[in-house]
Amino acid sequence: MNQAQSLYPLIEQALLCPVVDDKLALAERLRRDWRGGLLVREASPAACALPQPGRPLRPELVHPARVPRRSLATRHGHGALLHAIAHIEFNAVNLALDAAWRFRDMPGEFVDDWLTVAAEEAGHFRLLRGRLADLGFAYGDFPAHDGLWTMCRKTDHDAMVRMALVPRVLEARGLDVTPGIQRRLAGIGDHASVAVLDVILRDEVGHVMIGNRWFVRLCRERGLEPQATFRGLLEQHAMQQHPGDYNLSARAEAGFFADELEALARLTESVSDGR
């Protein structure tokens, strides 16, 4: 009979691990062992600030403006696009692990949700790395930026703020842009990557739904109105919903409020009308 192990040191081990394959395996094992009752939440000190999670020496991290944009008409451009998505998924593993590790006053369902997300993000990264390999590239062959982890640091003081600004903003934006990326990939005949993004989009709807659910729950536990609170956090952190294409059906499935969807629909229409 396996002896139960302490949860938080094992999450920390995965978070700080710099070896990609080891981190992925640790994330997947955490979910499996948690579900199997092999991990216990023992009293432990509060999580510390974490300037960076463990990561490999490559890719080189640069300012977002310095990440080169290449045409999909070239093999390098094709690889650069898939690499950018793979990098997002790798960072998403760390963000999910951090949520489960950091917010220790949250209930066990919160831990279960975010360990599940971490394991699924690990699977997404594996799928995208496989597509990169098919094109003759590896993770680390292109520069990348650190925007996701920057937001992780900005929200490490409050689970409600994390749920608002990471799943409800950054990850939800992934729901919006994925169909357009799929159309571009289909246009060059890369139907294998389109199929990979089908899997990722399906799972990401569930991840955003988890963030939505916990955001609303935390707001209501604190006597706050969720939508007004969300708008206030966007203003506080100088984040805006810009005109563009919004995947309203995916957002509806992920649990956004009807009047939020109506407001986003107006932003979508303003682009279509050229306003």
Side-chain angles (χ1 to χ4, degrees):
M1 186 175 185
N2 291 324
Q3 184 176 1
Q5 294 181 278
S6 182
L7 172 68
Y8 293 115
L10 292 175
I11 301 179
E12 185 171 328
Q13 178 187 2
L15 255 178
L16 297 179
C17 180
V19 180
V20 172
D21 283 304
D22 291 350
K23 184 187 292 285
L24 302 179
L26 287 168
E28 291 162 340
R29 181 176 177 181
L30 277 164
R31 193 260 301 264
R32 185 172 63 249
D33 288 354
W34 169 261
R35 290 280 180 91
L38 302 179
L39 304 177
V40 294
R41 300 176 74 187
E42 296 178 339
S44 58
C48 60
L50 188 62
Q52 286 289 346
R55 60 177 183 83
L57 294 177
R58 299 172 64 241
E60 176 191 8
L61 297 182
V62 300
H63 188 277
R66 290 186 54 214
V67 177
R69 298 182 182 277
R70 298 183 174 94
S71 168
L72 276 183
T74 69
R75 186 176 70 91
H76 271 77
H78 189 178
L81 174 62
L82 295 179
H83 187 277
I85 304 170
H87 182 66
I88 290 170
E89 298 300 319
F90 181 75
N91 272 280
V93 175
N94 284 321
L95 262 70
L97 289 172
D98 185 83
W101 175 73
R102 179 168 304 286
F103 301 115
R104 301 185 184 187
D105 57 347
M106 296 296 287
E109 308 99 278
F110 185 88
V111 174
D112 187 81
D113 278 341
W114 290 105
L115 290 183
T116 296
V117 171
E120 290 180 352
E121 303 287 18
H124 297 169
F125 177 84
R126 292 184 193 279
L127 290 172
L128 288 161
R129 187 172 59 176
R131 290 299 301 132
L132 278 171
D134 292 340
L135 294 175
F137 298 112
Y139 180 58
D141 284 352
F142 299 89
H145 67 79
D146 203 24
L148 273 176
W149 190 258
T150 298
M151 184 55 69
C152 186
R153 292 200 306 272
K154 288 180 179 179
T155 60
D156 64 8
H157 62 290
D158 190 330
M160 185 190 73
V161 178
R162 171 71 60 84
M163 296 298 103
L165 300 184
V166 176
R168 290 193 107 240
V169 176
L170 299 184
E171 293 185 80
R173 194 60 190 146
L175 306 182
D176 301 328
V177 302
T178 297
I181 294 172
Q182 289 180 297
R183 288 191 292 272
R184 293 175 63 199
L185 291 168
I188 61 169
D190 185 2
H191 300 292
S193 293
V194 172
V196 165
L197 291 180
D198 279 337
V199 174
I200 293 174
L201 181 58
R202 178 201 68 205
D203 290 346
E204 294 296 344
V205 168
H207 300 172
V208 176
M209 183 187 302
I210 287 169
N212 261 321
R213 185 172 70 245
W214 284 108
F215 173 70
V216 170
R217 176 170 167 175
L218 286 164
C219 284
R220 290 177 174 160
E221 287 176 355
R222 301 178 191 189
L224 301 172
E225 198 286 313
Q227 293 184 73
T229 302
F230 181 64
R231 290 191 296 270
L233 287 169
L234 289 180
E235 182 176 351
Q236 179 183 340
H237 291 270
M239 302 173 77
Q240 297 180 5
Q241 302 282 16
H242 295 286
D245 290 326
Y246 288 89
N247 190 341
L248 299 177
S249 61
R251 282 177 175 257
E253 188 179 350
F256 281 83
F257 294 102
D259 51 352
E260 288 182 298
L261 297 173
E262 290 169 6
L264 293 176
R266 289 193 292 273
L267 288 174
T268 300
E269 289 167 3
S270 71
V271 173
S272 301
D273 295 343
R275 294 199 297 267

